[in-house]
Amino acid sequence: MAKWVEIRKGADFQSIGEKFGISSLTARLIRNKDITEESEIRQYLYGGLSDLCSASVMKGIIPAVEILQKKIKEGASIRIIGDYDIDGVCSTYILLRGLTRAGAEVDTDIPDRKKDGYGLNEDLVKRAYDAGVDTIVTCDNGIAAYDQVEYAKSLGMTIIVTDHHEVPYTETEQGREYIIPKADAVINHKQKDCGYPFKELCGAMVAFQLISALTESYGISKRDVYRLLPYAALATICDVVELQGENRMVVQYGLKMIKNCKDVGLNALIDACKIDKNNIDSYHIGFVLGPCINASGRLDTAKKAMELLSEMNREKADILATSLKELNDERK
């Protein structure tokens, strides 16, 4: 039989409860999550999307937006290079939707797990260069691709890195020396001098914040950007980042938006998995939908998942969704 143990961290629970209209027990549970400041408690209880930190605070986003505006105006070919897991697929899709909405000439490439391995490599760069691509935007990878970025720059390409992984470093007598790739812009909230306050975002949320800033610069409404939140929520849940702070808000509102989502590909996958869309919750994301998307990258190619999310024809989407479900059944 499971035994529950109550963690007791001190605070005036009765006062907190009265101030926020909650029980002292709820106040204790919130305190046990190390949420202590009034602003943190208020955000935890009543936070909305307006409480997300401004994208412009994240280091690298402003120069990245300026570069992308220039490339879009020039009609330059842009390629998004993601990763083969669900965070990489959702990041790629968010960037594709957002850049397309801004008028970019853009396509995608996702590494094959067996042939390419994880992240950016010279073959992916060369493939893009041979295809006439001017600018590479990475997502959910790239922060450790110092040599690969150097190679892309040697070919005269522009490269923007968006990632959420830890920044590589070497230990020196003076302390840690961080190794940042010499890209044209590097967006990663875990950079030492990045002022973005919440450090636990997944790659899809880093991509979302870039698109939020880019589309805002074109006067595109926030409503259009928020349509991408279901994919940020998918990645946030399945990448197993802490469901606190901004992540908690993204999941809360992303789940609500999935219920009203009109996207053909996502709806086809929900139906293939026989999920009641009106009652969808984090369990269905983490243990049903997410594994189907992940299975494509592990057993076949993550490009199938991207193809599904991008599909506009319902009959074709149903075929792709059934294929992904069968792949996941095979993985099981």
Side-chain angles (χ1 to χ4, degrees):
M1 180 181 291
K3 183 178 180 181
W4 290 88
V5 178
E6 181 185 4
I7 300 172
R8 292 181 177 271
K9 295 184 179 180
D12 186 347
F13 303 119
Q14 183 174 346
S15 175
I16 293 171
E18 290 173 356
K19 181 170 289 188
F20 291 98
I22 57 177
S23 70
S24 58
L25 175 59
T26 301
R28 182 186 295 277
L29 292 172
I30 291 172
R31 172 64 185 92
N32 287 347
K33 292 177 177 288
D34 291 323
I35 298 170
T36 56
E37 300 295 328
E38 284 193 15
S39 59
E40 294 176 328
I41 297 171
R42 186 170 287 105
Q43 185 185 80
Y44 185 85
L45 291 170
Y46 310 115
L49 295 175
S50 61
D51 292 307
L52 291 177
C53 185
S54 171
S56 62
V57 175
M58 194 176 292
K59 183 181 179 184
I61 277 189
I62 291 175
V65 167
E66 291 172 351
I67 291 166
L68 289 170
Q69 286 176 328
K70 180 175 180 289
K71 298 299 181 181
I72 291 168
K73 185 176 181 180
E74 293 172 350
S77 176
I78 300 170
R79 176 164 293 179
I80 303 157
I81 298 182
D83 188 28
Y84 50 76
D85 69 357
I86 188 168
D87 192 18
V89 169
C90 288
S91 303
T92 303
Y93 185 66
I94 287 169
L95 287 176
L96 178 64
R97 280 265 299 262
L99 283 165
T100 301
R101 181 70 177 83
E105 184 69 36
V106 58
D107 66 8
T108 67
D109 198 359
I110 296 180
D112 183 284
R113 185 177 68 88
K114 294 179 181 178
K115 294 177 183 176
D116 298 308
Y118 166 77
L120 193 66
N121 62 44
E122 290 193 2
D123 286 341
L124 289 166
V125 172
K126 185 63 164 55
R127 194 153 73 207
Y129 177 77
D130 289 343
V133 170
D134 173 272
T135 300
I136 289 174
V137 182
T138 75
C139 54
D140 194 30
N141 77 91
I143 196 64
Y146 188 94
D147 292 339
Q148 293 80 6
V149 169
E150 287 279 280
Y151 176 61
K153 295 302 297 175
S154 75
L155 296 174
M157 303 180 80
T158 299
I159 185 159
I160 297 170
V161 168
T162 82
D163 202 350
H164 74 116
H165 293 98
E166 298 294 334
V167 180
Y169 63 87
T170 56
E171 294 286 2
T172 69
E173 291 182 359
Q174 291 74 38
R176 288 183 178 179
E177 183 178 313
Y178 290 92
I179 306 166
I180 308 290
K182 294 179 179 178
D184 297 271
V186 176
I187 305 169
N188 185 326
H189 52 298
K190 291 180 179 174
Q191 293 180 85
K192 185 179 179 181
D193 53 350
C194 178
Y196 200 89
F198 188 70
K199 302 297 185 182
E200 302 303 321
L201 299 178
C202 66
M205 269 308 295
V206 176
F208 178 88
Q209 287 291 50
L210 172 57
I211 292 305
S212 180
L214 178 67
T215 52
E216 183 179 356
S217 74
Y218 283 95
I220 296 169
S221 77
K222 278 286 186 185
R223 185 177 299 177
D224 276 8
V225 182
Y226 288 158
R227 290 192 179 106
L228 298 173
L229 275 174
Y231 305 96
L234 273 164
T236 297
I237 292 168
C238 296
D239 213 45
V240 202
V241 291
E242 283 191 18
L243 287 185
Q244 293 193 27
E246 294 195 356
N247 288 339
R248 186 170 178 271
M249 288 185 282
V250 166
V251 168
Q252 178 186 358
Y253 285 91
L255 284 172
K256 288 179 180 177
M257 295 189 76
I258 286 175
K259 294 175 183 179
N260 298 310
C261 180
K262 306 296 183 186
D263 294 350
V264 172
L266 183 56
N267 280 315
L269 186 59
I270 290 169
D271 290 345
C273 294
K274 295 180 170 55
I275 296 170
D276 178 1
K277 192 176 175 183
N278 294 318
N279 293 306
I280 197 165
D281 59 23
S282 57
Y283 169 82
H284 299 110
I285 301 296
F287 294 96
V288 185
L289 297 178
C292 289
I293 295 173
N294 266 329
S296 68
R298 289 174 177 164
L299 300 184
D300 194 343
T301 170
K303 291 177 182 177
K304 277 192 173 181
M306 268 300 298
E307 189 180 352
L308 170 64
L309 296 183
S310 304
E311 183 56 61
M312 303 295 288
N313 179 282
R314 183 57 198 245
E315 289 184 7
K316 292 179 180 178
D318 285 338
I319 293 169
L320 287 165
T322 300
S323 174
L324 290 188
K325 183 182 182 301
E326 288 172 352
L327 269 177
N328 189 47
D329 291 341
E330 179 185 337
R331 179 194 62 81
K332 291 178 186 178

